[in-house]
């Protein structure tokens, strides 16, 4: 038997290739992949800007949903269980290997498409918004890129914690999507400077936590919108990795500026977060209180088309590959 995966021939050429069935260690599982989530990091990897860590699969793809094909003897899973998992590369394939501690059981009420939207967003949002930035119930959370695969989960997490949620997007349509998923205030960054818009709405200086995936020239706005003791968690650099900021604001507000990348977290840290999201977030999806925003699903062989669509920025919500 064999399985299929997407090989990067060069940045403009992706090929569907065949390889032997996967096997796994005792603390791992092999998953028959139903859907793979597409992430910005995959696009960067294809372009050669984000080489995978040395111990990772060179195949793109960081998250999958599917059923257990092989359960390692210490994995705690059994063959046939419905799961979703954060994988150490290798998600763009019909079979993928995952650490048991980075694999979640998927309740029957959650379909496999929805399940594929969860691992990367759950972990990134939980680790940055809750663990690092310490969002507390009732605080104000600002999410840049609110309609992204990551951002929409952050918006909904904030609402589930009874926080006031402000989110940004680049068009009126996307702002409407933000209102639909519960954002209290959605700001179109192409309409007027964000500082002005926040001042108009009386929220400038009132934000406790910013989840920032854009950086660049928005970094100064992030500091301006913060309340005293506010925290900024930086996870992406869509507007660039260089920023000029007024450090006076950092001092006066006792602000915290932090950042992380999920791929470089230890397995132990990921495992800790996985236990938390399984307890705290999965039930919200199961009950329908949290509904991941989804855009299009592409066939595995059309991975390049899917990534080109992501690069266009036209999407609102998660993009998936159908791998089954
Ligand atoms: N550090 C980590 O561990 C980690 C983990 C996962 C993801 N990430 C990062 O999180 C971000 C979202 O990932 P994703 O996979 O969900 O990608 P995605 O769906 O393509 O989201 C990208 C988001 O960035 C916004 N954006 C793009 N260009 C912008 C600009 N010039 N100004 C303001 N906003 C802009 C887009 O909003 P509009 O379309 O409304 O402009 C969109 O919502 C990426 O930057 C990714 O690298 C980081």
């Amino acid at each position: 038997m064999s399985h299929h995966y997407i090989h990067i021939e060069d940045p403009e050429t992706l090929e569907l290739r065949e390889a032997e069935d996967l096997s796994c260690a005792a603390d791992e599982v092999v998953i028959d992949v139903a859907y793979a989530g597409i992430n910005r990091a995959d696009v960067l990897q294809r372009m050669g800007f984000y080489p995978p860590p040395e111990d990772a699969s060179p195949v793109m793809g960081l998250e999958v949903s599917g059923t257990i094909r092989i359960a390692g003897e210490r994995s705690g899973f059994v063959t046939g269980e419905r799961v979703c998992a954060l994988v150490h590369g290798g998600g763009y394939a019909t079979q993928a290997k995952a650490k048991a501690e980075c694999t979640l059981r998927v309740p029957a009420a959650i379909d496999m498409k929805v399940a594929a939207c969860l691992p990367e967003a759950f972990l990134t949002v939980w680790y940055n918004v809750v663990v690092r930035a310490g969002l507390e119930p009732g605080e104000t959370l600002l999410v840049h890129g609110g309609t992204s695969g990551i951002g929409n989960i952050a918006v909904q997490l904030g609402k589930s914690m009874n926080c006031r949620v402000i989110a940004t997007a680049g068009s009126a349509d996307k702002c409407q999507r933000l209102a639909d998923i519960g954002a209290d205030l959605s700001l179109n960054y192409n309409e007027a400077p964000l500082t002005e818009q926040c001042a108009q709405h009386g929220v400038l200086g009132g934000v406790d936590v910013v989840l920032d995936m854009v950086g660049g020239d928005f970094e100064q706005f992030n500091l301006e919108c913060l309340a005293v003791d506010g925290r900024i968690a930086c996870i992406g650099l869509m507007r660039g990795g260089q920023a000029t900021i007024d450090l006076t604001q950092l001092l006066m507000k006792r602000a915290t500026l932090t950042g992380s990348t999920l791929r470089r977290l230890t397995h132990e840290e990921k495992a800790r977060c996985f236990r938390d999201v399984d307890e705290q977030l999965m039930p919200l999806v199961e009950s329908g209180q949290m509904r991941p925003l989804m855009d299009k699903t592409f066939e595995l062989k059309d991975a390049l088309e899917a990534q080109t669509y992501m690069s266009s920025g036209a999407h609102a919500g998660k993009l998936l590959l159908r791998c089954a």
Side-chain angles (χ1 to χ4, degrees):
M1 282 286 286
S2 63
H3 79 286
H4 290 92
Y5 67 98
I6 295 291
H7 167 77
I8 306 174
E9 181 60 23
D10 62 56
E12 299 313 318
T13 320
L14 298 183
E15 290 175 1
L16 189 65
R17 289 200 176 170
E18 200 169 350
E20 292 294 295
D21 275 344
L22 297 185
S23 58
C24 66
D27 62 344
E28 294 177 329
V29 295
V30 174
I31 298 166
D32 275 324
V33 180
Y35 295 93
I38 299 179
N39 289 280
R40 256 314 143 159
D42 309 339
V43 179
L44 296 177
Q45 182 177 338
R46 187 192 92 232
M47 313 273 279
F49 300 136
Y50 193 44
E54 270 173 22
D55 60 342
S57 162
V59 175
M60 291 179 289
L62 301 173
E63 60 187 339
V64 299
S65 66
T67 50
I68 300 280
R69 176 186 182 83
I70 305 172
E73 61 262 32
R74 284 192 283 105
S75 69
F77 286 91
V78 294
T79 308
E81 275 187 292
R82 302 168 81 246
V83 294
C84 61
L86 193 71
V87 295
H88 206 35
Y92 285 25
T94 55
Q95 292 176 14
K97 190 162 64 170
K99 287 274 180 208
E101 61 202 12
C102 292
T103 304
L104 295 174
R105 287 186 176 81
V106 175
I110 300 177
D111 82 36
M112 282 290 140
K113 271 193 181 183
V114 170
C117 302
L118 304 178
E120 182 79 10
F122 268 11
L123 263 279
T124 304
V125 170
W126 186 265
Y127 182 67
N128 286 281
V129 174
V130 177
V131 177
R132 294 196 75 81
L135 182 71
E136 294 285 345
E139 287 193 321
T140 297
L141 168 68
L142 186 143
V143 180
H144 286 302
T147 62
S148 66
I150 301 291
N152 85 89
I153 295 295
V155 168
Q156 298 185 66
L157 168 78
K159 290 315 297 173
S160 77
M161 292 175 66
N162 294 318
C163 291
R164 176 169 60 167
V165 179
I166 304 166
T168 69
S171 71
D173 278 358
K174 289 190 180 185
C175 283
Q176 183 55 51
R177 303 302 292 271
L178 290 172
D180 295 343
I181 59 169
D184 299 290
L185 179 59
S186 47
L187 306 174
N188 179 350
Y189 64 81
N190 280 318
E191 212 171 75
L194 289 173
T195 312
E196 242 172 56
Q197 295 190 52
C198 281
Q200 258 168 23
H201 289 283
V203 293
L204 195 65
V207 172
D208 299 293
V209 170
V210 178
L211 180 67
D212 180 24
M213 60 186 72
V214 292
D217 58 332
F218 275 16
E219 211 51 56
Q220 178 59 27
F221 159 73
N222 291 342
L223 278 172
E224 282 167 19
C225 76
L226 272 197
V228 170
D229 287 323
R231 292 86 73 196
I232 301 167
C234 176
I235 60 163
L237 308 167
M238 300 297 299
R239 291 180 79 94
Q242 303 292 321
T244 302
I245 55 171
D246 175 7
L247 290 169
T248 318
Q249 298 261 348
L250 198 76
L251 271 54
M252 300 301 282
K253 293 186 173 176
R254 296 190 297 270
T256 303
L257 174 55
T258 183
S260 73
T261 138
L262 190 56
R263 262 202 126 164
R264 309 265 159 190
L265 285 194
T266 62
H267 284 305
E268 292 71 29
E269 189 76 66
K270 285 181 191 166
R272 229 185 337 266
C273 288
F274 255 99
R275 285 193 292 275
D276 289 344
V277 300
D278 197 21
E279 240 173 59
Q280 308 285 336
L281 303 187
M282 195 60 101
L284 298 179
V285 182
E286 188 177 11
S287 68
Q289 196 185 329
M290 184 183 272
R291 291 199 179 100
L293 197 58
M294 285 191 271
D295 194 295
K296 281 190 194 166
T297 300
F298 295 80
E299 296 300 316
L300 178 61
K301 67 177 174 49
D302 298 324
L304 183 60
E305 190 189 329
Q307 288 196 356
T308 305
Y309 180 55
M310 175 173 264
S311 299
S312 78
H315 64 294
K318 196 77 189 172
L319 300 175
L320 299 174
L321 294 175
R322 198 177 72 84
C323 303

